Structure formats: C-alpha cells, structure tokens
Amino acid sequence: YEIYQCDWSSDVCSSDLTLSTQDAAARLGYSTKGVADLRRQGALGTVFALHEGRAAPRYDAAEIDELAEIIVCRVSLESAAWKLGISHHGVEQLIAMQMLQTHGDCFCIPRYGAPQIAGPVLDDLIARIGSSSRSSLASEPITLRTAVGSIGGRAKPWGPIFKALLDGALPFKLDHCTGALTEQILVDHTCIRFLRSFFFEVSNYEGAKFSNVMSRRDAGEVLNLSPKSSTPLLKGMASVRGDSKAVDFPEIVRLSRIHISSREIALRLGIAPKTAFALAKEMMVPLLGPAGWCREAAERQLGLT
C-alpha cells in the first residue's frame, strides 16, 4: 500500500494524486460498487491518504487514468476474431506466438472476465499483413477463409498461417473489399496442400492460456461445415458452463478427427462440393452423420493427400 500524508483542505491529495471511489468510478465508466469490488480483488491499487491521523482508502489518479485509456481502446478477443475472420482459438494462438498482446490484465480480466487486446496493436498487425500483399497471383485466387476449409482433423492453425503471411512464405493479394481480413486475403488455389502443412501445438506454448469451450460458429470452422449444416449437429450437443451456444472444444476436435465434410473433400480434390458428395457415395465411403463422412475411409478410398 502507498500512504500519502495530505492536507485535504488544500485538495492537493484528493484532486491531483488520489481519487475517491466515486471519482474513480466516473473515470472508468463503472459503478462505485464495481470499483470497490475490483480494489478488494487486488485489481486496483489501494492508496491510503492520511487525514487528521486517520487513513482512508483511495485510488491512485495516475493508475486510474492509465486504465481509462486502456478501456477506451480495448478490443475483446471475440471482436478481434470477427475483425480478423478467424476463430477465438486463432486469436489465442496469435497471443501465444506474440503477434498480438493483451494489456491491463490485472484490471481487465477481473473487470471483463477475459483478457483484452489493445485496438492499436490489432490495427498494427492488420497493417503489417497488408504491407506484405503482392500485386498479383499466379493463378485463380480464392479467399484465405475458403482455402482453410481444406484443413481438417484439428483446429485451424491460424497463428502459423498469419506468421507465413507476414514472412512472405504464403503469397497473397489483399482485396480491399468489405468484410473480415481473411475474406479480403486472396491466395492461389494451388496453396491448399501447403496450408495443410501448418500445425499449431498448444503444448509448445507453456504458460499460454487457451479456452476449453468454443462457440458454435468456431465449431463449424473446425468441422468445415456451413452454419446450415452445423446447427442441427451442434444443437444436439450438451452446452457447457451454462452457455447454450458454447460447446466443448476437445469434443469438437475429436469429432473432426473422425469426420470429414464434403467441403473439405472438394477443396482437397479441386472439385465442387456436390461432386465430392457424389464421389464419396459412389466410392462407398461411410457417411457417419451430420458431421460428415468417415475421415479414414475417405482419405484411403478417395486418395486424398
């Protein structure tokens, strides 16, 4: 704790150095009870100001001002995922690989229940990716968002993919249309096998934090299913942590290792999804259910590489 010996009649301590709970709450845009609770949790430093020999808990004005700036520019991981056009797990990968950083964790995690990213840091990553864009591609381009549908059996390795974009290992052209970043990034359709060579191993990032739950939208990404196809399947799965729209991450990954969608087959063979469905049926690949075909049989009988 810090202790200020102040003459409150001069208002130097109360106005310039420390703040009351009411003033701190006003600057943070939060309730006085919420601010007091955060102080008791250790998320806010306590400053004891002495007045007539008695100590009163107050807040360091500089710390509150710094936190107020963090709040103004903060971006949740969910919002970052939407802007980038990737999954929540993908954003966690970028943080683990230090391509994105969280800030104000000691305050933001108790306040918002999750880490937050600084908006300028996210904007800088997008700008750096944009600066790596090429003027043209060798052949017919497809969006990166579409191309990653060829990666199955695991969560999309967004961290390594973004690193390849920045390093120039994955050539791309940026189409400045509206939409998420991965929908603006165009890659050569021949890069699909290269994309499938990327892996992200959580165990390689000791100390990094990853959620064990995921949204239905992100689950559809792992399974390479459209919302129309994934909704009936995921609605039938048990919700987790009281959230009816959240599903168990390990269970979705397990399903992806067993099933393969017509969409993934199509991308890996360079054919249309309807043609892929007909081919899998003709080759007697077992259709296991809404999540798709038997992955092992499909890879063997269709010669997927």
Side-chain angles (χ1 to χ4, degrees), residues 116-134:
Q116 305 290 297
I117 296 170
V121 173
L122 177 61
D123 292 340
D124 177 67
L125 173 64
I126 294 173
R128 287 190 291 120
I129 289 175
S131 66
S132 300
S133 173
R134 299 194 176 189

Side-chain angles (χ1 to χ4, degrees), residues 45-182:
T46 301
V47 176
F48 284 103
L50 295 178
H51 176 55
E52 296 179 352
R54 299 177 63 183
R58 293 173 68 82
Y59 302 85
D60 184 277
E63 179 188 16
I64 296 299
D65 286 343
E66 181 180 349
L67 290 173
E69 291 180 8
I70 288 175
I71 291 171
V72 168
C73 69
R74 75 174 180 89
V75 176
S76 68
L77 269 61
E78 289 77 11
S79 295
W82 275 101
K83 191 167 186 177
L84 294 173
I86 64 178
S87 63
H88 184 280
H89 187 262
V91 176
E92 292 175 331
Q93 292 178 33
L94 294 174
I95 293 170
M97 295 178 68
Q98 299 184 352
M99 284 183 277
L100 284 177
Q101 298 82 36
T102 61
H103 71 163
D105 287 355
C106 64
F107 170 80
C108 289
I109 293 177
R111 169 68 178 88
Y112 302 106
Q116 305 290 297
I117 296 170
V121 173
L122 177 61
D123 292 340
D124 177 67
L125 173 64
I126 294 173
R128 287 190 291 120
I129 289 175
S131 66
S132 300
S133 173
R134 299 194 176 189
S135 58
S136 61
L137 294 172
S139 60
E140 183 182 353
I142 58 176
T143 69
L144 179 59
R145 183 73 187 171
T146 297
V148 295
S150 64
I151 302 173
R154 60 191 190 276
K156 301 293 183 283
W158 285 115
I161 289 173
F162 271 49
K163 185 177 184 299
L165 293 172
L166 290 169
D167 293 347
L170 178 59
F172 73 96
K173 178 183 177 182
L174 196 62
D175 178 12
H176 295 282
C177 61
T178 58
L181 180 63
T182 56

